[in-house]
Amino acid sequence: MIWNEKIECANRDEMRTIQTERLIETVKRIYHNVPSYRQKMQEVGLVPDDIRSIDDLSKLPFTLKTDLRDNYPFGMFTVPMSEIVRIHASSGTTGKPTVVGYTRKDLNSWSEVVTRSLCMAGVHREDIVQVAYGYGLFTGGLGLHYGCENLGASVIPISGGNTEKQLQLMEDFGTTVIACTPSYSLFLAEEMEAAGIKKENLKLRIGIFGAEPWTENMRKEIEAKLGIKAIDIYGLSEIIGPGVSCECEQQAGMHINEDHFVPEIIDPETLQPLPAGEIGELVFTTITKEGIPLIRYRTRDLTRLNYEKCACGRTLVRMEKCKGRSDDMLIIRGVNVFPSQIETVLLEMSETAPHYLLIVEREGNLDTLKLMVEVQEQFFSDEIRQLEALRKKITHKLQSTLGISVDVKLVEPKTIERTAGKAKRVIDNRKL
Amino acid sequence: MIIKQLTVFLENKTGRLNEVSQLLGISGINISAMTLADTSEFGILRMIVSEPEKALSILKDAEFSARLTDVICLNSPNEPGALARALEILSGESVFIEYLYAYSMDNKSANIVLKPDNIQKCIEVLQKHKMELVSASEMYKI
């Protein structure tokens, strides 16, 4: 089902008209209400009247995460606090949290885009949706929650963690849709196996997974283990939260709700916009938000856009699964390494579980890369030469993919810490 | 003839072996033979225990990576040249041995635990040459 066919299947000209109208209005508003935006525009000699169409978007200055931090907590809000009805904040692993505020209208838009996303995923009103994203300051839980209610599905607001309870409700309530991080879904699958719960005895049919990067191989594993269709949902709290984009049942890229969030792809070095189809950093401009509109916000996520009409009938532009981030790139002995590359290598080898931990150390002047990989139980051999062969295979594959040597260490299953939130994949112990 | 050997994957970390022996000890499981093969990174602990299935589930519950492996046990006279004779027979019939470990029971006999590449063939060869194989029930009792 397509929730908002008029928008989701609009032709390009119609969409550009909507975007132009909304962009012009947004720019006027921020120029007059947010001193930091006004100052940035003045620095490059721009006034609101210079923005006449969506094509003028690239004239505007970028917004960075540091802008939000510098104006902590509410300095970027465009409306008085009396208009703000909800506040969310990012986890703030590196310094102060990033704070966002929503007006009543913002919450309605958010519900709208999440509802569209759920419909893309194939969810309908009869579904029972277990929302196992954290509820609270994190946008995952409440974002999904209001989208489900808006759709008319039955929500189980269980929040994250408490795995035993998750499984119990899944069985007893006949949950048909699970929403959580992809790594937590694999953890649930493991725990199901341990508890002797068979996927055939559950009614699960769809999983809505986001908040961390995952690969196609991880999708295959989740789909096989839980017997579901695994759908990728994308979002970030700065833009709105989950529902910025989501895959449809074609699983061929995530449809961006571009009547609310206009995407661009830029070269992270030159900051110049790249033509459609090229991989670069994803940049969003929010054109309906009132609480905290963001102009050309740099997400640091690397991806590409596809403007072709989808087989599902939607014309909303699609973004590919993120290829990594323009800022989590590790430079090891002068070689650029993305943790996602390592994940891809590991997942190509059926023998290894997707649980791994990358540890970067500096010994003397030499950076070393150590990879801890959990050996799946069914592979565990009682012969050392087979385990050594597995270790060598991983080592060689990584060496040929990355161009640097990696010290691979096989560890016991469940050694690497699992969390209900984002999985920690990299520990960088270098003091740089 | 086939004996269920308990195999455990261990990381080279202090206390892991101790944990295994304690878990089995408090559950009243006796270890009649054991060997620890180690590499620089990890070790493989192989044991013959009184109740292999029970021991396996105890270790799995404690989140150890463990499994049962089929091995056989040859009883051989405890005298010079006895092992050589047995191995001569096996190599003569092209039976490849993955690993073995042995222990003397007393002055008279010794037990040799074998993991051959083809366990059925190995049993046939040894029986054909009238070598004495220890039964599983006897092994678990020791």
Side-chain angles (χ1 to χ4, degrees), chain A residues 62-95:
Chain A
F62 291 104
T63 306
L64 303 170
K65 204 179 183 84
T66 47
D67 292 320
L68 291 170
R69 295 231 178 87
D70 294 346
N71 292 285
Y72 176 86
F74 306 143
M76 300 279 282
F77 289 10
T78 13
V79 294
M81 286 309 283
S82 57
E83 298 296 314
I84 297 287
V85 295
R86 174 98 66 80
I87 292 165
H88 279 286
S90 77
S91 47
T93 39
T94 48

PDB file of all heavy atoms in Angstrom, chain A residues 62-95:
ATOM      1  N   PHE A  62      26.792  25.254   4.313  1.00  0.00           N
ATOM      2  CA  PHE A  62      26.513  23.977   4.977  1.00  0.00           C
ATOM      3  C   PHE A  62      26.252  24.168   6.463  1.00  0.00           C
ATOM      4  O   PHE A  62      26.673  25.166   7.056  1.00  0.00           O
ATOM      5  CB  PHE A  62      27.700  23.023   4.817  1.00  0.00           C
ATOM      6  CG  PHE A  62      27.899  22.547   3.405  1.00  0.00           C
ATOM      7  CD1 PHE A  62      28.922  23.078   2.623  1.00  0.00           C
ATOM      8  CD2 PHE A  62      27.068  21.578   2.875  1.00  0.00           C
ATOM      9  CE1 PHE A  62      29.098  22.633   1.324  1.00  0.00           C
ATOM     10  CE2 PHE A  62      27.253  21.141   1.575  1.00  0.00           C
ATOM     11  CZ  PHE A  62      28.271  21.674   0.798  1.00  0.00           C
ATOM     12  N   THR A  63      25.580  23.180   7.054  1.00  0.00           N
ATOM     13  CA  THR A  63      25.429  23.128   8.506  1.00  0.00           C
ATOM     14  C   THR A  63      26.136  21.853   8.971  1.00  0.00           C
ATOM     15  O   THR A  63      26.025  20.807   8.328  1.00  0.00           O
ATOM     16  CB  THR A  63      23.940  23.064   8.900  1.00  0.00           C
ATOM     17  OG1 THR A  63      23.267  24.150   8.272  1.00  0.00           O
ATOM     18  CG2 THR A  63      23.767  23.161  10.404  1.00  0.00           C
ATOM     19  N   LEU A  64      26.886  21.972  10.068  1.00  0.00           N
ATOM     20  CA  LEU A  64      27.633  20.827  10.584  1.00  0.00           C
ATOM     21  C   LEU A  64      27.126  20.467  11.973  1.00  0.00           C
ATOM     22  O   LEU A  64      26.467  21.276  12.636  1.00  0.00           O
ATOM     23  CB  LEU A  64      29.122  21.157  10.688  1.00  0.00           C
ATOM     24  CG  LEU A  64      29.805  21.616   9.415  1.00  0.00           C
ATOM     25  CD1 LEU A  64      31.202  22.130   9.711  1.00  0.00           C
ATOM     26  CD2 LEU A  64      29.878  20.450   8.427  1.00  0.00           C
ATOM     27  N   LYS A  65      27.479  19.256  12.392  1.00  0.00           N
ATOM     28  CA  LYS A  65      27.113  18.829  13.744  1.00  0.00           C
ATOM     29  C   LYS A  65      27.679  19.817  14.768  1.00  0.00           C
ATOM     30  O   LYS A  65      27.049  20.090  15.790  1.00  0.00           O
ATOM     31  CB  LYS A  65      27.673  17.429  13.990  1.00  0.00           C
ATOM     32  CG  LYS A  65      26.910  16.656  15.052  1.00  0.00           C
ATOM     33  CD  LYS A  65      27.495  15.261  15.232  1.00  0.00           C
ATOM     34  CE  LYS A  65      26.695  14.452  16.224  1.00  0.00           C
ATOM     35  NZ  LYS A  65      25.510  13.791  15.668  1.00  0.00           N
ATOM     36  N   THR A  66      28.858  20.369  14.472  1.00  0.00           N
ATOM     37  CA  THR A  66      29.476  21.307  15.427  1.00  0.00           C
ATOM     38  C   THR A  66      28.638  22.581  15.584  1.00  0.00           C
ATOM     39  O   THR A  66      28.655  23.202  16.640  1.00  0.00           O
ATOM     40  CB  THR A  66      30.895  21.704  14.966  1.00  0.00           C
ATOM     41  OG1 THR A  66      30.831  22.046  13.580  1.00  0.00           O
ATOM     42  CG2 THR A  66      31.878  20.582  15.162  1.00  0.00           C
ATOM     43  N   ASP A  67      27.875  22.959  14.526  1.00  0.00           N
ATOM     44  CA  ASP A  67      26.993  24.127  14.662  1.00  0.00           C
ATOM     45  C   ASP A  67      25.943  23.877  15.742  1.00  0.00           C
ATOM     46  O   ASP A  67      25.599  24.774  16.503  1.00  0.00           O
ATOM     47  CB  ASP A  67      26.292  24.428  13.332  1.00  0.00           C
ATOM     48  CG  ASP A  67      27.276  24.924  12.275  1.00  0.00           C
ATOM     49  OD1 ASP A  67      28.163  25.711  12.631  1.00  0.00           O
ATOM     50  OD2 ASP A  67      27.157  24.503  11.113  1.00  0.00           O
ATOM     51  N   LEU A  68      25.447  22.645  15.762  1.00  0.00           N
ATOM     52  CA  LEU A  68      24.442  22.303  16.774  1.00  0.00           C
ATOM     53  C   LEU A  68      25.065  22.337  18.166  1.00  0.00           C
ATOM     54  O   LEU A  68      24.468  22.806  19.125  1.00  0.00           O
ATOM     55  CB  LEU A  68      23.845  20.922  16.495  1.00  0.00           C
ATOM     56  CG  LEU A  68      22.956  20.831  15.252  1.00  0.00           C
ATOM     57  CD1 LEU A  68      22.615  19.393  14.924  1.00  0.00           C
ATOM     58  CD2 LEU A  68      21.673  21.623  15.462  1.00  0.00           C
ATOM     59  N   ARG A  69      26.292  21.824  18.262  1.00  0.00           N
ATOM     60  CA  ARG A  69      26.970  21.804  19.559  1.00  0.00           C
ATOM     61  C   ARG A  69      27.289  23.223  20.024  1.00  0.00           C
ATOM     62  O   ARG A  69      27.129  23.549  21.189  1.00  0.00           O
ATOM     63  CB  ARG A  69      28.278  21.021  19.444  1.00  0.00           C
ATOM     64  CG  ARG A  69      28.058  19.585  19.132  1.00  0.00           C
ATOM     65  CD  ARG A  69      28.806  18.690  20.095  1.00  0.00           C
ATOM     66  NE  ARG A  69      28.503  17.305  19.766  1.00  0.00           N
ATOM     67  CZ  ARG A  69      29.181  16.606  18.872  1.00  0.00           C
ATOM     68  NH1 ARG A  69      30.229  17.132  18.255  1.00  0.00           N
ATOM     69  NH2 ARG A  69      28.842  15.370  18.606  1.00  0.00           N
ATOM     70  N   ASP A  70      27.751  24.053  19.078  1.00  0.00           N
ATOM     71  CA  ASP A  70      28.122  25.431  19.447  1.00  0.00           C
ATOM     72  C   ASP A  70      26.918  26.220  19.941  1.00  0.00           C
ATOM     73  O   ASP A  70      27.069  27.179  20.686  1.00  0.00           O
ATOM     74  CB  ASP A  70      28.738  26.167  18.242  1.00  0.00           C
ATOM     75  CG  ASP A  70      30.065  25.555  17.820  1.00  0.00           C
ATOM     76  OD1 ASP A  70      30.620  24.760  18.622  1.00  0.00           O
ATOM     77  OD2 ASP A  70      30.536  25.830  16.709  1.00  0.00           O
ATOM     78  N   ASN A  71      25.733  25.824  19.487  1.00  0.00           N
ATOM     79  CA  ASN A  71      24.518  26.532  19.887  1.00  0.00           C
ATOM     80  C   ASN A  71      23.717  25.740  20.919  1.00  0.00           C
ATOM     81  O   ASN A  71      22.516  25.925  21.053  1.00  0.00           O
ATOM     82  CB  ASN A  71      23.658  26.817  18.655  1.00  0.00           C
ATOM     83  CG  ASN A  71      24.314  27.833  17.741  1.00  0.00           C
ATOM     84  OD1 ASN A  71      24.330  29.011  18.034  1.00  0.00           O
ATOM     85  ND2 ASN A  71      24.909  27.362  16.645  1.00  0.00           N
ATOM     86  N   TYR A  72      24.425  24.852  21.617  1.00  0.00           N
ATOM     87  CA  TYR A  72      23.815  23.980  22.628  1.00  0.00           C
ATOM     88  C   TYR A  72      23.165  24.796  23.725  1.00  0.00           C
ATOM     89  O   TYR A  72      23.769  25.760  24.175  1.00  0.00           O
ATOM     90  CB  TYR A  72      24.910  23.080  23.214  1.00  0.00           C
ATOM     91  CG  TYR A  72      24.481  22.175  24.333  1.00  0.00           C
ATOM     92  CD1 TYR A  72      23.932  20.923  24.061  1.00  0.00           C
ATOM     93  CD2 TYR A  72      24.641  22.558  25.664  1.00  0.00           C
ATOM     94  CE1 TYR A  72      23.560  20.079  25.085  1.00  0.00           C
ATOM     95  CE2 TYR A  72      24.250  21.712  26.694  1.00  0.00           C
ATOM     96  CZ  TYR A  72      23.709  20.478  26.395  1.00  0.00           C
ATOM     97  OH  TYR A  72      23.340  19.638  27.411  1.00  0.00           O
ATOM     98  N   PRO A  73      21.976  24.482  24.251  1.00  0.00           N
ATOM     99  CA  PRO A  73      21.159  23.405  23.718  1.00  0.00           C
ATOM    100  C   PRO A  73      20.140  23.864  22.666  1.00  0.00           C
ATOM    101  O   PRO A  73      19.858  23.126  21.739  1.00  0.00           O
ATOM    102  CB  PRO A  73      20.413  22.898  24.956  1.00  0.00           C
ATOM    103  CG  PRO A  73      20.324  24.093  25.865  1.00  0.00           C
ATOM    104  CD  PRO A  73      21.513  24.973  25.551  1.00  0.00           C
ATOM    105  N   PHE A  74      19.592  25.092  22.806  1.00  0.00           N
ATOM    106  CA  PHE A  74      18.434  25.445  21.978  1.00  0.00           C
ATOM    107  C   PHE A  74      18.712  26.557  20.965  1.00  0.00           C
ATOM    108  O   PHE A  74      17.789  27.095  20.364  1.00  0.00           O
ATOM    109  CB  PHE A  74      17.253  25.875  22.866  1.00  0.00           C
ATOM    110  CG  PHE A  74      16.865  24.875  23.923  1.00  0.00           C
ATOM    111  CD1 PHE A  74      16.444  25.298  25.193  1.00  0.00           C
ATOM    112  CD2 PHE A  74      16.909  23.513  23.658  1.00  0.00           C
ATOM    113  CE1 PHE A  74      16.081  24.376  26.162  1.00  0.00           C
ATOM    114  CE2 PHE A  74      16.545  22.578  24.632  1.00  0.00           C
ATOM    115  CZ  PHE A  74      16.133  23.010  25.889  1.00  0.00           C
ATOM    116  N   GLY A  75      19.997  26.923  20.787  1.00  0.00           N
ATOM    117  CA  GLY A  75      20.328  28.091  19.984  1.00  0.00           C
ATOM    118  C   GLY A  75      19.911  28.031  18.526  1.00  0.00           C
ATOM    119  O   GLY A  75      19.762  29.062  17.873  1.00  0.00           O
ATOM    120  N   MET A  76      19.691  26.834  17.998  1.00  0.00           N
ATOM    121  CA  MET A  76      19.318  26.715  16.583  1.00  0.00           C
ATOM    122  C   MET A  76      17.804  26.631  16.392  1.00  0.00           C
ATOM    123  O   MET A  76      17.339  26.509  15.255  1.00  0.00           O
ATOM    124  CB  MET A  76      19.966  25.466  15.968  1.00  0.00           C
ATOM    125  CG  MET A  76      21.478  25.433  16.008  1.00  0.00           C
ATOM    126  SD  MET A  76      22.271  26.382  14.692  1.00  0.00           S
ATOM    127  CE  MET A  76      22.086  25.285  13.306  1.00  0.00           C
ATOM    128  N   PHE A  77      17.055  26.649  17.475  1.00  0.00           N
ATOM    129  CA  PHE A  77      15.601  26.557  17.336  1.00  0.00           C
ATOM    130  C   PHE A  77      15.077  27.847  16.694  1.00  0.00           C
ATOM    131  O   PHE A  77      15.547  28.937  17.011  1.00  0.00           O
ATOM    132  CB  PHE A  77      14.920  26.366  18.711  1.00  0.00           C
ATOM    133  CG  PHE A  77      15.151  25.009  19.337  1.00  0.00           C
ATOM    134  CD1 PHE A  77      16.076  24.122  18.818  1.00  0.00           C
ATOM    135  CD2 PHE A  77      14.419  24.621  20.463  1.00  0.00           C
ATOM    136  CE1 PHE A  77      16.300  22.885  19.405  1.00  0.00           C
ATOM    137  CE2 PHE A  77      14.630  23.378  21.051  1.00  0.00           C
ATOM    138  CZ  PHE A  77      15.570  22.506  20.526  1.00  0.00           C
ATOM    139  N   THR A  78      14.088  27.698  15.792  1.00  0.00           N
ATOM    140  CA  THR A  78      13.553  28.867  15.088  1.00  0.00           C
ATOM    141  C   THR A  78      12.266  29.383  15.702  1.00  0.00           C
ATOM    142  O   THR A  78      11.727  30.383  15.249  1.00  0.00           O
ATOM    143  CB  THR A  78      13.216  28.531  13.620  1.00  0.00           C
ATOM    144  OG1 THR A  78      13.241  27.133  13.473  1.00  0.00           O
ATOM    145  CG2 THR A  78      14.167  29.155  12.670  1.00  0.00           C
ATOM    146  N   VAL A  79      11.737  28.665  16.675  1.00  0.00           N
ATOM    147  CA  VAL A  79      10.459  29.088  17.268  1.00  0.00           C
ATOM    148  C   VAL A  79      10.659  29.258  18.772  1.00  0.00           C
ATOM    149  O   VAL A  79      11.590  28.679  19.344  1.00  0.00           O
ATOM    150  CB  VAL A  79       9.335  28.046  17.011  1.00  0.00           C
ATOM    151  CG1 VAL A  79       9.007  27.959  15.534  1.00  0.00           C
ATOM    152  CG2 VAL A  79       9.725  26.683  17.566  1.00  0.00           C
ATOM    153  N   PRO A  80       9.799  30.056  19.430  1.00  0.00           N
ATOM    154  CA  PRO A  80       9.904  30.172  20.885  1.00  0.00           C
ATOM    155  C   PRO A  80       9.614  28.829  21.563  1.00  0.00           C
ATOM    156  O   PRO A  80       8.918  27.993  20.979  1.00  0.00           O
ATOM    157  CB  PRO A  80       8.844  31.225  21.250  1.00  0.00           C
ATOM    158  CG  PRO A  80       7.979  31.395  20.053  1.00  0.00           C
ATOM    159  CD  PRO A  80       8.733  30.907  18.868  1.00  0.00           C
ATOM    160  N   MET A  81      10.133  28.628  22.766  1.00  0.00           N
ATOM    161  CA  MET A  81       9.960  27.347  23.447  1.00  0.00           C
ATOM    162  C   MET A  81       8.493  26.995  23.660  1.00  0.00           C
ATOM    163  O   MET A  81       8.154  25.820  23.778  1.00  0.00           O
ATOM    164  CB  MET A  81      10.698  27.343  24.800  1.00  0.00           C
ATOM    165  CG  MET A  81      12.208  27.241  24.683  1.00  0.00           C
ATOM    166  SD  MET A  81      12.782  25.871  23.624  1.00  0.00           S
ATOM    167  CE  MET A  81      12.556  24.477  24.714  1.00  0.00           C
ATOM    168  N   SER A  82       7.621  28.011  23.685  1.00  0.00           N
ATOM    169  CA  SER A  82       6.193  27.720  23.869  1.00  0.00           C
ATOM    170  C   SER A  82       5.639  26.897  22.697  1.00  0.00           C
ATOM    171  O   SER A  82       4.628  26.213  22.826  1.00  0.00           O
ATOM    172  CB  SER A  82       5.410  29.025  24.006  1.00  0.00           C
ATOM    173  OG  SER A  82       5.643  29.830  22.866  1.00  0.00           O
ATOM    174  N   GLU A  83       6.329  26.965  21.556  1.00  0.00           N
ATOM    175  CA  GLU A  83       5.889  26.192  20.379  1.00  0.00           C
ATOM    176  C   GLU A  83       6.488  24.786  20.346  1.00  0.00           C
ATOM    177  O   GLU A  83       6.033  23.932  19.597  1.00  0.00           O
ATOM    178  CB  GLU A  83       6.290  26.917  19.077  1.00  0.00           C
ATOM    179  CG  GLU A  83       5.660  28.280  18.881  1.00  0.00           C
ATOM    180  CD  GLU A  83       4.154  28.185  18.745  1.00  0.00           C
ATOM    181  OE1 GLU A  83       3.696  27.312  17.975  1.00  0.00           O
ATOM    182  OE2 GLU A  83       3.452  28.956  19.430  1.00  0.00           O
ATOM    183  N   ILE A  84       7.548  24.588  21.134  1.00  0.00           N
ATOM    184  CA  ILE A  84       8.232  23.277  21.132  1.00  0.00           C
ATOM    185  C   ILE A  84       7.470  22.322  22.048  1.00  0.00           C
ATOM    186  O   ILE A  84       7.223  22.643  23.206  1.00  0.00           O
ATOM    187  CB  ILE A  84       9.690  23.406  21.625  1.00  0.00           C
ATOM    188  CG1 ILE A  84      10.514  24.294  20.681  1.00  0.00           C
ATOM    189  CG2 ILE A  84      10.362  22.037  21.806  1.00  0.00           C
ATOM    190  CD1 ILE A  84      10.869  23.676  19.352  1.00  0.00           C
ATOM    191  N   VAL A  85       7.083  21.146  21.490  1.00  0.00           N
ATOM    192  CA  VAL A  85       6.332  20.201  22.318  1.00  0.00           C
ATOM    193  C   VAL A  85       7.139  18.932  22.648  1.00  0.00           C
ATOM    194  O   VAL A  85       6.713  18.112  23.447  1.00  0.00           O
ATOM    195  CB  VAL A  85       4.999  19.791  21.652  1.00  0.00           C
ATOM    196  CG1 VAL A  85       4.084  20.997  21.540  1.00  0.00           C
ATOM    197  CG2 VAL A  85       5.220  19.159  20.289  1.00  0.00           C
ATOM    198  N   ARG A  86       8.282  18.776  22.028  1.00  0.00           N
ATOM    199  CA  ARG A  86       9.100  17.569  22.309  1.00  0.00           C
ATOM    200  C   ARG A  86      10.565  17.898  22.076  1.00  0.00           C
ATOM    201  O   ARG A  86      10.900  18.644  21.155  1.00  0.00           O
ATOM    202  CB  ARG A  86       8.681  16.425  21.385  1.00  0.00           C
ATOM    203  CG  ARG A  86       9.522  15.159  21.461  1.00  0.00           C
ATOM    204  CD  ARG A  86       8.917  14.076  22.341  1.00  0.00           C
ATOM    205  NE  ARG A  86       7.661  13.559  21.782  1.00  0.00           N
ATOM    206  CZ  ARG A  86       7.609  12.657  20.792  1.00  0.00           C
ATOM    207  NH1 ARG A  86       8.711  12.160  20.274  1.00  0.00           N
ATOM    208  NH2 ARG A  86       6.448  12.241  20.331  1.00  0.00           N
ATOM    209  N   ILE A  87      11.411  17.313  22.917  1.00  0.00           N
ATOM    210  CA  ILE A  87      12.860  17.476  22.743  1.00  0.00           C
ATOM    211  C   ILE A  87      13.502  16.088  22.690  1.00  0.00           C
ATOM    212  O   ILE A  87      13.175  15.222  23.513  1.00  0.00           O
ATOM    213  CB  ILE A  87      13.460  18.308  23.905  1.00  0.00           C
ATOM    214  CG1 ILE A  87      12.955  19.755  23.825  1.00  0.00           C
ATOM    215  CG2 ILE A  87      14.990  18.290  23.862  1.00  0.00           C
ATOM    216  CD1 ILE A  87      13.186  20.554  25.085  1.00  0.00           C
ATOM    217  N   HIS A  88      14.365  15.879  21.723  1.00  0.00           N
ATOM    218  CA  HIS A  88      15.165  14.657  21.666  1.00  0.00           C
ATOM    219  C   HIS A  88      16.631  15.053  21.635  1.00  0.00           C
ATOM    220  O   HIS A  88      16.969  16.204  21.334  1.00  0.00           O
ATOM    221  CB  HIS A  88      14.843  13.840  20.407  1.00  0.00           C
ATOM    222  CG  HIS A  88      13.600  13.005  20.523  1.00  0.00           C
ATOM    223  ND1 HIS A  88      13.549  11.859  21.272  1.00  0.00           N
ATOM    224  CD2 HIS A  88      12.355  13.160  19.992  1.00  0.00           C
ATOM    225  CE1 HIS A  88      12.329  11.332  21.191  1.00  0.00           C
ATOM    226  NE2 HIS A  88      11.585  12.108  20.421  1.00  0.00           N
ATOM    227  N   ALA A  89      17.502  14.120  21.935  1.00  0.00           N
ATOM    228  CA  ALA A  89      18.931  14.409  21.895  1.00  0.00           C
ATOM    229  C   ALA A  89      19.691  13.164  21.488  1.00  0.00           C
ATOM    230  O   ALA A  89      19.277  12.049  21.793  1.00  0.00           O
ATOM    231  CB  ALA A  89      19.402  14.892  23.261  1.00  0.00           C
ATOM    232  N   SER A  90      20.787  13.361  20.778  1.00  0.00           N
ATOM    233  CA  SER A  90      21.628  12.233  20.383  1.00  0.00           C
ATOM    234  C   SER A  90      22.423  11.777  21.595  1.00  0.00           C
ATOM    235  O   SER A  90      22.526  12.493  22.580  1.00  0.00           O
ATOM    236  CB  SER A  90      22.578  12.648  19.269  1.00  0.00           C
ATOM    237  OG  SER A  90      23.629  13.402  19.827  1.00  0.00           O
ATOM    238  N   SER A  91      22.993  10.569  21.485  1.00  0.00           N
ATOM    239  CA  SER A  91      23.690   9.986  22.627  1.00  0.00           C
ATOM    240  C   SER A  91      24.912  10.804  23.040  1.00  0.00           C
ATOM    241  O   SER A  91      25.339  10.732  24.178  1.00  0.00           O
ATOM    242  CB  SER A  91      24.081   8.555  22.302  1.00  0.00           C
ATOM    243  OG  SER A  91      24.682   8.509  21.027  1.00  0.00           O
ATOM    244  N   GLY A  92      25.462  11.584  22.110  1.00  0.00           N
ATOM    245  CA  GLY A  92      26.586  12.441  22.476  1.00  0.00           C
ATOM    246  C   GLY A  92      27.819  11.681  22.930  1.00  0.00           C
ATOM    247  O   GLY A  92      28.399  11.981  23.956  1.00  0.00           O
ATOM    248  N   THR A  93      28.214  10.661  22.133  1.00  0.00           N
ATOM    249  CA  THR A  93      29.392   9.869  22.494  1.00  0.00           C
ATOM    250  C   THR A  93      30.658  10.715  22.413  1.00  0.00           C
ATOM    251  O   THR A  93      31.631  10.421  23.069  1.00  0.00           O
ATOM    252  CB  THR A  93      29.546   8.639  21.580  1.00  0.00           C
ATOM    253  OG1 THR A  93      29.185   9.040  20.260  1.00  0.00           O
ATOM    254  CG2 THR A  93      28.660   7.513  22.038  1.00  0.00           C
ATOM    255  N   THR A  94      30.636  11.745  21.588  1.00  0.00           N
ATOM    256  CA  THR A  94      31.811  12.599  21.487  1.00  0.00           C
ATOM    257  C   THR A  94      31.434  14.013  21.923  1.00  0.00           C
ATOM    258  O   THR A  94      31.176  14.875  21.096  1.00  0.00           O
ATOM    259  CB  THR A  94      32.354  12.626  20.043  1.00  0.00           C
ATOM    260  OG1 THR A  94      31.245  12.851  19.174  1.00  0.00           O
ATOM    261  CG2 THR A  94      33.030  11.332  19.673  1.00  0.00           C
ATOM    262  N   GLY A  95      31.365  14.225  23.204  1.00  0.00           N
ATOM    263  CA  GLY A  95      31.085  15.559  23.721  1.00  0.00           C
ATOM    264  C   GLY A  95      29.620  15.769  24.066  1.00  0.00           C
ATOM    265  O   GLY A  95      28.907  14.827  24.401  1.00  0.00           O
TER     266      GLY A  95
END
